[in-house]
């Protein structure tokens, strides 16, 4: 981004007529706009916006973000966690629970982009001019700090041609200048390199537009949803099956692929010390009634791709198979997906949702049952080696017909009965003729399913960004001139001189190396003189 | 092999501490004359050589420790915070030896590099994890590339931070000396900052007007001791009262040392140019690391960026370093202001590294 402070000085316009005294000039709307635009384009403004974005990210780190942890945000709003409900309401007003989706974060981003655009356009123009302009002729080569004279037996033109080859090998852009136009009256070779510095700079900044386009494509044309399946279960890739779905504006319901995904198996293996070793879902995909992918493993870091949709391993859990009977009538026969609640797997089974006698089971499962010193049960590990299931039976008006999460049914007083079961056992009759059977513990697997079409654009943008960054930091502008002065004795003096616009100390070495290379390319007559004169570098072109 | 690796870790830590003391001696036996000529004495030369030998030995042993850990676990030794801290310290010392000492001949900066490495290793040691396999989420070659880039850039940023912090100290001293002596302030804060225009030419042209020992006199050692002592003491409270006292002592010692080193340090303009060059070296590596992290996130979780606390922190740090690089090319920001941005950026890096891992829960909470 250009620092345009030097351009601020406006040409004096609308001088107040003499006799009016010195009234302060009030800028009109157009001047105000111009002033604002100029301000916005300044690098210091860009820096302030950059810092504001940085501050916003700090806020987002320390205030829970709704897209990430909706439960925590709900607790902050209710006042059961965080600084209290009234402060949470203020946060809500400022959209602090969703910083990266808030209007003010969008405004900051737009401001930064406008500022960036304002900086880039003039710089693109200037860069275009600079790149197309051939290297300028040098004057008073002998007065430059980096300067050497090589005496050679070659005639002037042949000597300069040799220098040209050396410079070409060092990737300099060269230009031959006729003797009539140089100040010394001798033919000159002007060379320069390092335009990649500014080019890289522009590339780096332009890459942000590419990244932004990538984000836009992904957000508008993609989707991401999450789904949990029990072993042996199947889901169809449609909008309705997903919980927590984010679909782009242009990814319609009909754009879902509609293939079927069957979870054949889920395996979790552990190291002897209990740390996880491998989680793998074995998945079969059925498309149009045909098995297209059979028993494919899906792991963390090993997603499954089908029809432009990717399936990622996200989480897993226990899903005990439970049968509830009233006498011989089966009321409920299903696998209940449980969630991990700090070592205890808990969940709810909606056994009977029709009034008046609604029935629900609160389930807690310890996968590797043990009893600690104080007689309290706990789970030794995550492996279902020795599962024990605790079930609380609730009967009555439980509100199970409501459209809320099953686990939030109305619990009034105490459960009517409780039972403890191991796999393959059935409880005695609990209330009336109700029995609960605990068959076995299958596992469930949670997937993230997504279609992200902008990924390659993003990747391309990232590569451009990195390439531009490296070039802008490590390319250096250098100018070199060579002149051949014919001598009376048939000896040509080749004058080499160079100027560095950055890293001058390093250039002194590079120039010496260049002189060495030229010297070995020419048949040398006599000594080479490398002169160090404490003159300024400004006497050229 | 794991035991041997741990033993070598402690040996390396010990060697670093000794090397640090050696560099300190080398500085104490280096005379700064009234007219600013820095001349090492015989004893100083010897101490410097011994310290260099110790540091090189420490790096070799340390490398052995990391390699053995890798061999033992069958993966790159970058899987938890202990290993990260260890490798960051290793790379910082190695980079300091190669670049700061061998190439630039700033031997008096090396003691600070070693002190920082020792602190980094000490923090890692508090988070010690026995050698073991990775959790499944981390088994990806993108992960390997990602952490390697992140750890390398963190080590280089550490060097940049030292140069920036010492620049701020030295610059303050130079300004005060100039103000007191009534001489125009010729030291090149402005000149040095404009690397694109002047770079080292100005740095070498800078001549200290007054006796360099004035630099020590114009700054009170009390602040130099107090501020780092309080900061490191507070950090040490994590390890209880003893940790707090230990942290305060180390911080105070380092501060006192920085004060004593003021005349020995390179000129402010040179330190500033050094800080910029090191940061410019680290920034592409860091950017590459963040990009690899995003690719890995896409592979593992199906989204390349999710504003997870760690991702947010990395973004924040990147923004601040970008601001630092921009600030150095902006009128009114060059010099001290840009340097403060650089300090803030490094603090952000530390917070992202330590605090987000240990305190804020997210996908990257792999500390334990």
């Amino acid at each position: 981004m250009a620092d345009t402070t030097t351009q601020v000085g406006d040409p004096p316009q609308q001088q107040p007529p003499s006799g009016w005294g010195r009234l302060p000039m009030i800028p009109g709307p157009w001047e105000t706009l111009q002033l604002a635009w100029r301000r916005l384009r300044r690098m210091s403004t860009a820096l302030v916006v950059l810092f504001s974005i940085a501050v916003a990210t700090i806020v987002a780190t320390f205030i829970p973000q709704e897209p990430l942890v909706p439960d925590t945000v709900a607790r902050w709003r209710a006042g059961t966690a965080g600084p209290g409900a009234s402060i949470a309401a203020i946060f809500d007003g400022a959209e602090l629970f969703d910083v990266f989706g808030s209007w003010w974060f969008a405004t900051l981003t737009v401001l930064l982009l406008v500022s960036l655009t304002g900086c880039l356009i003039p710089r693109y123009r200037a860069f275009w001019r600079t790149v197309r302009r051939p290297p300028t002729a040098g004057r008073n080569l002998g007065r430059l700090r980096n300067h050497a004279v090589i005496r050679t037996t070659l005639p002037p033109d042949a000597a300069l041609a040799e220098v040209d080859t050396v410079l070409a090998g060092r990737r300099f852009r060269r230009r031959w200048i006729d003797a009539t136009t140089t100040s010394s009256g001798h033919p000159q070779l002007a060379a320069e390199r390092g335009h990649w510095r500014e080019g890289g700079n522009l590339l780096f900044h332009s890459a942000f537009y590419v990244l932004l386009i990538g984000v836009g494509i992904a957000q508008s044309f993609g989707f991401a949803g999450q789904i949990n399946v029990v072993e042996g279960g199947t889901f169809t890739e449609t909008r309705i099956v997903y919980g927590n779905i984010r679909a782009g504006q242009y990814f319609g319901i009909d754009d879902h692929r509609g293939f079927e995904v069957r979870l054949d198996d889920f395996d979790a293996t552990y190291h002897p010390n209990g740390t996880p070793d491998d989680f793998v879902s074995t998945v079969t995909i059925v498309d149009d009634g045909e098995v297209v992918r059979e028993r494919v493993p899906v792991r963390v870091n090993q997603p499954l791709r089908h029809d432009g949709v990717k399936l990622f391993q996200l989480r897993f859990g226990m899903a005990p198979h439970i049968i509830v009977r009233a006498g011989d009538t089966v009321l409920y026969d299903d696998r209940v997906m449980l969630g991990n609640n700090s070592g205890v797997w808990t969940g709810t089974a909606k056994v009977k949702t029709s009034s008046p006698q609604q029935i629900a089971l609160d389930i807690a499962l310890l996968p590797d049952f043990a009893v600690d010193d104080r007689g309290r049960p706990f789970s030794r590990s995550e492996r279902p080696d020795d599962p024990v299931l605790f079930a609380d039976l609730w009967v009555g008006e439980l509100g199970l017909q409501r459209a809320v999460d099953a686990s939030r049914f109305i619990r009034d007083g105490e459960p009517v009965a409780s039972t403890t079961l191991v796999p393959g056992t059935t409880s005695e009759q609990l209330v009336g003729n109700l029995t609960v059977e605990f068959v076995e513990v299958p596992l469930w697997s949670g997937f993230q399913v997504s279609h992200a079409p902008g990924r390659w654009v993003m990747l391309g943008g990232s590569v451009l960004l990195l390439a531009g960054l490296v070039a802008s930091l490590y390319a250096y502008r250098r100018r070199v001139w060579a002149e051949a002065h014919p001598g009376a004795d048939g000896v040509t003096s080749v004058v080499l001189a160079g100027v560095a616009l950055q890293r001058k100390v390093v250039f002194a070495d590079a120039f010496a190396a260049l002189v060495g290379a030229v010297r070995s390319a020419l048949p040398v007559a006599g000594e080479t003189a490398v002169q160090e004169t404490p003159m300024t570098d400004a006497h050229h072109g | 092999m794991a035991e041997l690796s741990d033993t070598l870790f402690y040996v390396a830590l010990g060697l670093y501490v000794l090397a640090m003391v050696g560099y300190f001696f080398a500085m104490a036996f280096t005379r700064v004359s009234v007219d600013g000529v820095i001349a090492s004495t015989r004893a100083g030369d010897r101490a410097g050589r011994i310290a260099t030998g110790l540091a090189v030995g420490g790096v070799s042993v340390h490398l052995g420790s990391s390699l053995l850990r890798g061999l033992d676990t069958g993966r790159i030794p970058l899987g938890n915070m202990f290993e990260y801290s260890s490798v960051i310290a290793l790379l910082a010392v190695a980079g300091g030896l190669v670049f700061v000492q061998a190439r630039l001949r700033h031997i008096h900066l090396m003691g600070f590099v070693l002190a920082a490495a020792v602190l980094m290793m000490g923090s890692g040691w508090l988070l010690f994890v026995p050698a073991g396999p990775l959790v499944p989420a981390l088994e990806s070659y993108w992960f390997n590339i990602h952490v390697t880039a992140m750890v390398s850039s963190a080590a280089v940023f550490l060097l940049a931070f030292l140069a920036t912090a010492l620049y701020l100290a030295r610059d303050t001293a130079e300004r005060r000396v100039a103000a007191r002596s009534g001489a125009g302030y010729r030291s090149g804060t402005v000149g040095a900052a404009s690397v694109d225009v002047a770079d080292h030419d100005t740095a070498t042209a800078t001549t200290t007007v007054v006796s360099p020992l004035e630099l020590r006199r114009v700054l009170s050692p009390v602040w130099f001791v107090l501020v780092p002592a309080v900061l490191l003491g507070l950090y040490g409270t994590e390890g209880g009262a003893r940790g707090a006292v230990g942290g305060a002592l180390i911080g105070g010692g380092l501060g006192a040392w920085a004060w004593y080193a003021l005349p020995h340090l390179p000129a402010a303009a040179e330190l500033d140019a050094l800080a910029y060059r090191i940061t410019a070296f680290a920034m592409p590596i860091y950017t590459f690391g963040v990009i690899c992290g995003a690719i890995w996130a896409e592979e593992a979780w199906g989204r390349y960026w999710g504003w997870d606390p760690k991702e947010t922190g990395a973004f924040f740090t990147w923004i601040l370093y970008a601001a630092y690089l921009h600030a150095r090319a902006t009128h009114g920001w060059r010099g001290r202001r840009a340097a403060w941005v650089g300090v803030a950026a490094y603090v952000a890096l530390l917070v992202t590294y330590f605090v987000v891992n240990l305190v804020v829960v997210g996908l990257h909470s792999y500390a334990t």
Side-chain angles (χ1 to χ4, degrees):
Chain A
M1 280 179 265
D3 193 338
T4 54
T5 41
T6 47
Q7 299 176 15
V8 169
D10 250 341
Q13 46 183 332
Q14 298 171 13
Q15 284 288 339
S18 52
W20 276 79
R22 291 236 161 253
L23 282 177
M25 222 174 65
I26 299 164
W30 178 238
E31 282 81 12
T32 314
L33 258 175
Q34 276 184 314
L35 205 70
W37 171 238
R38 232 179 269 129
R39 276 245 132 170
L40 203 58
R41 277 174 42 183
R42 272 161 62 169
M43 179 103 102
S44 44
T45 312
L47 275 175
V48 169
V49 177
L50 216 52
F51 286 134
S52 311
I53 290 181
V55 170
T57 64
I58 303 185
V59 170
T61 310
F62 292 101
I63 295 179
Q65 296 296 296
E66 195 155 24
L68 243 66
V69 278
D71 299 345
T72 315
V73 174
R75 280 203 294 278
W76 277 46
R77 285 204 180 112
T80 51
S86 49
I87 292 176
I90 298 172
F91 284 179
D92 246 337
E95 299 188 34
L96 292 184
F97 288 123
D98 184 10
V99 165
F100 301 112
S102 68
W103 63 267
W104 54 267
F105 192 79
T107 310
L108 283 176
T109 316
V110 168
L111 268 180
L112 190 64
L113 278 176
V114 170
S115 164
L116 184 63
T117 313
C119 284
L120 282 184
I121 289 173
R123 278 184 82 158
Y124 262 117
R125 238 184 264 143
F127 181 62
W128 180 241
R129 275 199 302 269
T130 321
V131 166
R132 276 160 30 116
R133 193 168 49 213
T136 41
R139 288 186 295 142
N140 299 325
L141 297 189
R143 294 177 65 186
L144 294 180
R145 172 174 296 185
N146 293 298
H147 153 238
V149 180
I150 301 163
R151 289 157 54 79
T152 175
T153 49
L154 282 183
D157 282 349
L160 276 191
E162 286 298 330
V163 178
D164 186 69
T165 319
V166 171
L167 289 173
R170 291 171 184 241
R171 296 189 295 116
F172 272 87
R173 289 152 45 105
R174 286 104 47 219
R175 173 186 165 209
W176 287 86
I177 299 161
D178 199 52
T180 51
T181 48
T182 58
S183 57
S184 64
H186 298 293
Q188 195 188 57
L189 184 65
E192 67 179 330
R193 59 164 298 172
H195 285 306
W196 268 112
R197 188 178 190 83
E198 179 67 4
N201 206 333
L202 292 172
L203 190 65
F204 169 77
H205 287 103
S206 309
F208 287 100
Y209 297 98
V210 180
L211 287 179
L212 213 67
I213 292 169
V215 172
I217 293 175
Q219 299 238 317
S220 328
F221 296 97
F223 89 96
Q226 295 177 1
I227 184 162
N228 303 333
V229 209
V230 185
E231 284 178 304
T234 300
F235 73 90
T236 309
E237 206 282 293
T238 49
R239 176 74 50 100
I240 47 164
V241 300
Y242 299 115
N244 206 355
I245 185 166
R246 279 177 292 111
Q249 225 173 324
Y250 302 104
F251 190 90
I253 293 171
D254 297 338
D255 293 324
H256 283 278
R257 306 302 200 254
F259 55 76
E260 285 179 11
V261 181
R262 187 176 73 222
L263 176 65
D264 301 313
D265 245 329
F266 180 83
D267 277 311
T269 48
Y270 297 86
H271 294 291
N273 65 356
T275 55
D277 174 30
D278 194 14
F279 304 130
V280 53
S281 297
T282 310
V283 164
T284 296
I285 292 184
V286 181
D287 206 346
D288 276 338
E290 255 179 73
V291 174
V292 284
R293 307 291 296 273
E294 201 171 1
R295 298 193 64 83
V296 187
V298 179
R299 292 183 169 87
V300 187
N301 286 317
Q302 191 187 337
L304 168 64
R305 227 188 130 85
H306 179 67
D307 201 5
V309 172
K310 272 182 166 180
L311 199 68
F312 298 89
Q313 178 68 51
L314 206 61
R315 52 174 85 94
F316 73 96
M318 315 276 160
H321 184 188
I322 288 172
I323 303 171
V324 183
R325 293 187 185 85
D328 287 337
T329 331
V330 173
L331 293 178
Y332 181 88
D333 181 358
D334 207 349
R335 286 151 322 162
V336 190
M337 287 194 239
L338 305 183
N340 193 343
N341 220 324
S342 43
V344 186
W345 293 84
T346 56
T348 307
K350 290 203 264 186
V351 176
K352 182 164 168 285
T353 52
S354 54
S355 294
Q357 285 278 298
Q358 295 182 325
I359 303 172
L361 269 181
D362 259 341
I363 296 167
L365 180 91
L366 291 175
D368 194 2
F369 182 80
V371 178
D372 69 7
D373 301 341
R374 297 181 197 167
R376 286 181 310 205
F378 74 104
S379 186
R380 270 182 302 228
S381 71
E382 295 285 287
R383 283 171 297 222
D385 287 346
D386 193 4
V388 171
L389 183 138
F390 305 87
D392 284 345
L393 185 68
W394 299 80
V395 179
E397 281 303 322
L398 305 173
L400 286 177
Q401 71 283 3
R402 296 176 309 164
V404 294
D405 192 51
S407 62
R408 294 169 70 186
F409 67 84
I410 301 157
R411 294 175 178 82
D412 269 335
E414 294 283 311
V416 293
S418 295
T419 181
T420 304
L421 298 167
V422 294
T425 57
T426 307
S427 69
E428 68 243 38
Q429 296 196 337
L430 294 175
V431 182
N433 57 357
L434 279 181
T435 59
V436 178
E437 183 184 351
F438 175 23
V439 186
E440 53 171 353
V441 190
L443 299 172
W444 60 265
S445 179
F447 296 104
Q448 159 119 333
V449 185
S450 73
H451 172 62
R455 282 202 326 266
W456 294 106
V457 180
M458 299 279 302
L459 191 63
S462 309
V463 171
L464 291 182
L465 182 115
L466 200 57
L469 180 63
V470 171
S472 71
L473 291 173
Y474 288 100
Y476 305 117
R477 284 288 298 278
R478 273 96 175 79
R479 286 177 168 171
V480 170
W481 296 274
E483 258 179 25
H485 301 197
D489 48 355
V491 171
T492 308
S493 299
V494 175
V495 182
L496 272 178
V499 162
L501 278 74
Q502 302 93 18
R503 298 291 306 279
K504 302 187 176 189
V505 172
V506 177
F507 180 64
D509 297 340
F511 184 74
L514 178 71
V515 171
V518 170
R519 204 183 168 197
S520 54
L522 294 174
V524 177
E527 278 304 294
T528 301
V530 179
Q531 288 173 10
E532 281 269 351
T533 40
M535 287 291 156
T536 59
D537 285 348
H539 297 273
H540 59 86
Chain B
M1 251 188 321
E3 287 84 24
L4 181 58
S5 163
D6 294 346
T7 313
L8 290 182
F9 175 83
Y10 296 122
V11 172
L13 187 61
L15 286 174
Y16 287 160
V17 171
L18 290 177
M20 179 179 84
V21 175
Y23 281 116
F24 182 59
F25 268 102
M27 191 168 74
F29 285 106
T30 302
R31 302 249 161 73
V32 182
S33 67
V34 188
D35 49 351
V37 177
I38 293 181
S40 183
T41 62
R42 208 123 150 256
D45 274 342
R46 196 171 302 150
R49 270 200 297 277
I50 292 173
T52 309
L54 286 169
V56 171
V59 165
S60 323
V61 172
H62 199 169
L63 190 66
S65 163
S66 276
L67 287 179
L68 279 179
R69 212 169 224 261
L71 283 176
D72 182 60
T73 51
R75 57 175 171 82
I76 58 163
L78 290 169
N80 51 56
M81 286 196 62
F82 166 71
E83 292 167 8
Y84 299 150
S85 303
S86 173
V87 175
I88 289 175
L90 169 64
L91 292 177
V93 177
L97 281 172
V98 171
F99 185 68
V100 178
Q101 189 176 346
R103 179 112 177 260
L104 299 181
R105 311 248 161 237
H106 291 319
I107 192 171
H108 298 311
L109 294 179
M110 281 309 292
F112 295 100
V113 173
L114 281 157
V118 166
L119 280 177
M120 189 51 95
M121 280 173 94
S123 313
W125 177 69
L126 293 176
L127 305 164
F128 180 77
V129 180
L134 292 177
V135 296
L138 304 185
E139 282 168 9
S140 152
Y141 61 88
W142 282 115
F143 165 78
N144 293 346
I145 303 173
H146 166 64
V147 285
T148 307
M150 284 321 224
V151 162
S152 315
S153 60
V156 184
F157 277 135
L158 173 63
L159 296 177
F161 166 72
L162 288 176
T164 311
L166 292 174
Y167 156 74
L168 282 169
R170 171 89 186 196
D171 186 65
T172 312
E174 284 184 11
R175 275 164 195 271
R176 292 223 183 141
V177 167
R180 283 198 192 175
S181 66
Y185 180 62
R186 294 218 283 137
S187 183
T189 314
V190 176
S194 52
V195 273
D196 279 0
V197 190
D199 205 47
H200 268 282
D201 275 8
T202 338
T204 43
T206 304
T207 45
T208 318
V209 190
V210 204
S211 159
L213 294 173
E214 270 304 295
L215 293 169
R216 230 179 256 156
R217 245 164 269 151
V218 289
L219 290 184
S220 160
V222 177
W223 289 109
F224 268 80
V225 173
L226 216 57
V227 174
V230 168
L231 286 177
L232 279 185
L234 283 176
Y235 173 71
T237 51
E238 287 289 317
R242 270 162 70 186
V245 172
L249 282 177
I250 295 172
L254 282 178
W257 184 7
W259 174 78
Y260 181 82
L262 279 172
H264 297 86
L265 292 176
E270 218 170 322
L271 279 171
D272 191 35
L274 181 67
Y276 171 78
R277 277 178 68 187
I278 302 177
T279 308
F281 182 71
M283 188 62 173
I285 308 176
Y286 182 67
T287 310
F288 176 68
V290 172
I291 292 172
C292 288
I295 296 175
W296 170 43
E298 169 70 32
E299 279 302 292
W301 304 307
R303 91 284 183 292
Y304 47 81
W305 200 269
W307 297 111
D308 173 78
K310 193 79 171 182
E311 292 164 348
T312 310
F315 175 74
F316 177 59
T317 309
W318 193 88
I319 290 265
L320 284 185
Y321 273 114
Y324 169 79
L325 293 179
H326 281 100
R328 289 190 47 108
T330 308
H331 288 294
W333 282 83
R334 281 176 191 159
R336 299 180 66 83
R337 257 173 125 175
W340 280 113
V341 177
V343 169
Y346 189 70
V347 170
L349 188 140
L350 283 186
V351 168
T352 309
Y353 175 51
F354 283 114
V355 180
V356 172
N357 273 17
L358 301 174
V359 181
V360 187
V361 178
L363 288 168
H364 285 77
S365 308
Y366 36 65
T368 48

